[in-house]
Amino acid sequence: QVQLVESGGGTVQAGGSLRLSCAASGSILSIANMGWYRQAPGKQRELVAVITSGGSTNYADSVKGRFTISRDNAKNTVYLQMNSLKSEDTAVYYCNAYVWDDSGRYSGRWGQGTQVTVSS
């Protein structure tokens, strides 16, 4: 079994910062893309940022210049540094990873989500 466990969510004032972490564990052979998505109340889940195994990144326009995604391949962990937070960043943030497991299966996995609330 492969699990993704997120941490680092919470409540912060507008203009503040938070750092999210997501660690993958279990029967992992390798991990391709890792990313962060978010879902605000009444809205669809949207991509925030993604990073390849080689370190290439892509961001939603709404977070460019404020958020930074990074990963530690040795720890199977992806991070999201969020600066200059705005009230519209309030959402549940989900970690996603495309994983090869030791059964030879390649599949997308999701974390349980972590709440980020930005107060104005």
Side-chain angles (χ1 to χ4, degrees):
Q1 289 285 357
V2 175
Q3 289 186 322
L4 302 183
V5 178
E6 298 127 337
S7 60
T11 299
V12 64
Q13 287 190 333
S17 299
L18 282 175
R19 188 190 194 213
L20 305 182
S21 300
C22 172
S25 63
S27 52
I28 297 169
L29 288 182
S30 65
I31 303 177
N33 288 4
M34 303 185 81
W36 290 94
Y37 290 71
R38 66 186 181 188
Q39 187 166 17
K43 294 187 177 181
Q44 290 188 331
R45 191 173 298 190
E46 63 176 2
L47 174 68
V48 176
V50 64
I51 185 168
T52 68
S53 57
S56 296
T57 59
N58 194 27
Y59 296 91
D61 287 343
S62 59
V63 306
K64 282 180 181 177
R66 299 187 298 121
F67 291 10
T68 302
I69 189 171
S70 61
R71 65 190 282 176
D72 184 333
N73 290 332
K75 296 181 179 179
N76 289 334
T77 298
V78 63
Y79 306 96
L80 186 68
Q81 178 67 42
M82 304 185 293
N83 299 330
S84 302
L85 282 161
K86 305 175 181 179
S87 57
E88 51 262 45
D89 295 317
T90 295
V92 178
Y93 284 69
Y94 297 90
C95 173
N96 172 262
Y98 282 86
V99 177
W100 284 102
D101 66 26
D102 60 6
S103 299
R105 290 176 298 186
Y106 180 72
S107 61
R109 306 298 181 112
W110 292 93
Q112 80 284 359
T114 186
Q115 177 70 47
V116 171
T117 302
V118 183
S119 61
S120 55

